Amino acid sequence: MTTVKEQQVIQEQFKERMNQDELLNCMRCGFCLPTCPTYIESGLKEAHSPRGRIALMKAVVDGIIEPDEEVERSLELCLGCRACEPVCPSGVKYGHLLEEARDIINQNKKHSLPVKMVRNAVLNGLFPHQNRMQMVTGLLGFYQRSGMQTLTRKTGMMKLFPDHLATMEKVLPQVPTMKKMKNRPEFLEALGPQTKRVAFFKGCLMDTMFLESNDATMKLLQLAGCEIVIPPDQACCGALHGHSGEKDAGKELAKRNIQAFEDLEVDFIITNAGGCGAFLIDYDHLLKDDPDWKERAKAFVSKIKDISEILYELDFHKKNHLELPEQVITYQDSCHLRNVMKTASAPRALLQAIKGIEYREMKDADRCCGSAGIYNIVESEMSMQILDYKMIQTKATLATTVVTANPGCLLQMKLGIEREGLTDKMRGVHIVDLLLEAVGQEK
């Protein structure tokens, strides 16, 4: 609960920092309403729509309302999926407004000691330090391989946790060993004639818990004729910080990444996680007020490209024989990959090029699955409502394989498959792992 003094400070910060031109750009037309999962799932409550949240922000700026718990709750419940942006006739950058508002509130309110400790441990003590990410993942690996996981499940200890967390434990990937996580490449040659020289943004979770998908990504790039540089001093993208009201920490991580990549003389910087890519491609906005970094940020952003885009542009699907055993495949968009990076057709084209499969488009494939970073943990009730709808559409395709392009989406869809009791009929897979499977390199 914010005090009166805190509310006054927050209100002043809203007046000083919020982009009033952007707030005024919203015409209140309502085109965003059908695209907003929280508006739909909340029973069409205006305060839980993009239009409604912008109205609340502007009301705080104008001094009409105070930034009380209801305003904060409305902003907290937003997924940040940014599905409202592509349909907005005025081109309102809602995501930028949301991040600024959350940062102002977070930086000017007192968190309880437990919340403060958890935020500090995760956002400052863990994600910015890859060696610590490896250590935590290593502990998870020990839990999986030592027999502790089997024992925990047999004794029913997971019943002590909320249902969605207990189910999530079941769908976590088998994580790599510490040796594999430590022994990472810094340079890979193209396989065949070289077409491009690229750098690879390996990420934090992607290069630990989802390391096999990173390896698949690099193998696909090599097969596409790309020489790959993987700078060892790159850092977490900062998305979790930016979305959680820790904008300054996000800026510091952005600077570390720009510095790590800017002298490599590469054609592109490749990402394979929609959430990371969307934050990376926004570095120019994040650092727009920093005279020492804004041009460097623009140069960095100009090279960001998703793995599916470069594979499609290099005709990977035409130059390589892609085939899989007979199966029905559907695709679940990563919100940030589609809405921010504007990548939707390339992954579909790659999947449809695979022989032996039937591709079926899912209804509302572009609607958020409810993962949204750590949203499915901190807002589990709304997240599960959104996931339930997504699983209705998934089952309607009769798909046996659900493809995603973001680690959070992948875990969320696997969670949905587990909750529906479909693990023997359906699987969730990252697009790079499926493409490598289709090209036969797993053999």
Side-chain angles (χ1 to χ4, degrees):
M1 182 178 291
T2 52
T3 65
V4 173
K5 186 176 180 180
E6 286 171 347
Q7 288 181 4
Q8 290 172 344
V9 174
I10 290 170
Q11 194 148 32
E12 287 301 314
Q13 288 282 300
F14 261 69
K15 291 178 182 178
E16 291 174 15
R17 291 174 51 183
M18 294 300 293
N19 187 329
Q20 298 200 37
D21 289 337
E22 203 70 74
L23 290 172
L24 288 169
N25 277 343
C26 177
M27 301 186 300
R28 314 290 190 264
C29 65
F31 279 26
C32 59
L33 300 182
T35 71
C36 180
T38 55
Y39 173 72
I40 295 166
E41 295 298 335
S42 67
L44 310 184
K45 290 182 180 178
E46 187 71 27
H48 297 324
S49 72
R51 179 176 71 177
R53 292 181 176 111
I54 290 174
L56 290 175
M57 294 179 207
K58 189 173 186 306
V60 172
V61 170
D62 294 341
I64 298 172
I65 63 172
E66 295 177 345
D68 56 17
E69 281 71 30
E70 289 186 19
V71 173
E72 186 177 350
R73 181 63 189 143
S74 173
L75 299 179
E76 283 178 347
L77 198 62
C78 180
L79 291 148
C81 69
R82 295 172 72 166
C84 50
E85 293 186 15
V87 299
C88 178
S90 301
V92 176
K93 297 294 184 184
Y94 171 80
H96 296 166
L97 292 172
L98 176 68
E99 286 179 7
E100 194 72 20
R102 282 177 169 174
D103 188 61
I104 292 169
I105 292 172
N106 180 66
Q107 297 304 320
N108 293 286
K109 65 171 286 188
K110 289 182 180 178
H111 293 290
S112 66
L113 183 60
V115 170
K116 191 174 181 179
M117 289 175 65
V118 170
R119 285 179 67 91
N120 186 58
V122 173
L123 297 175
N124 300 321
L126 180 59
F127 277 87
H129 308 280
Q130 192 64 6
N131 60 331
R132 297 176 190 175
M133 291 291 294
Q134 291 172 348
M135 189 181 303
V136 170
T137 305
L139 290 173
L140 176 59
F142 176 77
Y143 166 76
Q144 290 177 335
R145 290 185 286 269
S146 66
M148 289 179 62
Q149 185 177 55
T150 303
L151 180 63
T152 300
R153 292 176 178 177
K154 283 185 176 179
T155 56
M157 287 180 62
M158 292 309 300
K159 293 179 181 178
L160 300 174
F161 295 88
D163 288 344
H164 74 286
L165 289 181
T167 307
M168 197 175 293
E169 186 269 347
K170 294 180 181 179
V171 301
L172 289 174
Q174 289 296 310
V175 302
T177 62
M178 282 292 292
K179 183 178 180 181
K180 285 184 178 179
M181 287 187 285
K182 294 285 187 182
N183 187 26
R184 304 302 288 147
E186 295 180 17
F187 176 81
L188 292 168
E189 293 182 349
L191 296 175
Q194 184 177 327
T195 55
K196 299 290 181 183
R197 175 179 164 87
V198 303
F200 178 49
F201 183 81
K202 60 184 180 180
C204 44
L205 272 179
M206 288 303 298
D207 214 47
T208 49
M209 190 177 293
F210 297 92
L211 182 142
E212 286 188 5
S213 295
N214 265 7
D215 286 345
T217 302
M218 290 185 282
K219 178 64 74 175
L220 292 172
L221 287 170
Q222 285 180 288
L223 290 169
C226 294
E227 181 180 85
I228 313 169
V229 184
I230 310 101
D233 49 349
Q234 59 181 286
C236 168
C237 69
L240 189 60
H241 303 77
H243 302 329
S244 302
E246 297 286 349
K247 204 169 181 181
D248 285 344
K251 288 179 180 179
E252 290 307 309
L253 290 168
K255 291 173 183 178
R256 283 174 59 184
N257 283 321
I258 291 168
Q259 198 162 21
F261 283 87
E262 65 184 347
D263 295 325
L264 297 181
E265 297 183 357
V266 295
D267 299 304
F268 302 111
I269 299 170
I270 305 302
T271 71
N272 62 358
C276 296
F279 200 72
L280 294 172
I281 212 167
D282 257 354
Y283 276 3
D284 56 344
H285 171 77
L286 188 67
L287 298 171
K288 63 181 172 54
D289 297 322
D290 192 322
D292 295 328
W293 287 90
K294 63 180 183 179
E295 294 302 323
R296 296 166 74 177
K298 287 179 183 177
F300 176 88
V301 164
S302 69
K303 294 185 176 182
I304 299 295
K305 192 179 290 287
D306 182 69
I307 178 63
S308 62
E309 284 284 2
I310 191 170
L311 291 179
Y312 181 76
E313 289 174 10
L314 295 177
D315 289 334
F316 177 84
H317 53 307
K318 296 177 181 177
K319 296 175 182 177
N320 291 275
H321 180 75
L322 304 177
E323 188 169 3
L324 285 171
E326 183 178 340
Q327 57 192 285
V328 177
I329 289 178
T330 193
Y331 178 70
Q332 161 61 22
D333 284 285
S334 156
C335 294
H336 287 117
L337 183 61
R338 184 184 184 105
N339 301 326
V340 184
M341 297 187 74
K342 313 300 182 189
T343 296
S345 60
R348 287 171 167 82
L350 292 169
L351 293 173
Q352 289 168 1
I354 301 174
K355 293 179 175 61
I357 67 102
E358 179 183 350
Y359 179 83
R360 292 181 186 170
E361 185 69 15
M362 182 195 307
K363 181 186 177 185
D364 293 333
D366 57 346
R367 186 185 291 186
C368 185
C369 63
S371 170
I374 58 171
Y375 188 94
N376 55 3
I377 297 174
V378 298
E379 298 289 349
S380 60
E381 184 178 350
M382 178 60 76
S383 175
M384 293 304 104
Q385 280 183 237
I386 294 167
L387 179 59
D388 287 342
Y389 176 81
K390 180 61 63 175
M391 289 309 300
I392 291 172
Q393 309 311 323
T394 304
K395 289 188 291 184
T397 67
L398 302 180
T400 52
T401 302
V402 184
V403 182
T404 73
N406 187 60
C409 302
L410 178 59
L411 286 181
Q412 185 81 339
M413 295 308 295
K414 285 187 172 183
L415 178 62
I417 292 168
E418 180 72 31
R419 276 161 53 92
E420 296 289 334
L422 297 172
T423 52
D424 58 337
K425 298 177 181 178
M426 186 184 293
R427 63 169 176 160
V429 61
H430 193 291
I431 188 170
V432 295
D433 295 311
L434 189 77
L435 289 173
L436 189 60
E437 186 181 334
V439 86
Q441 289 303 305
E442 84 285 354
K443 299 176 183 177

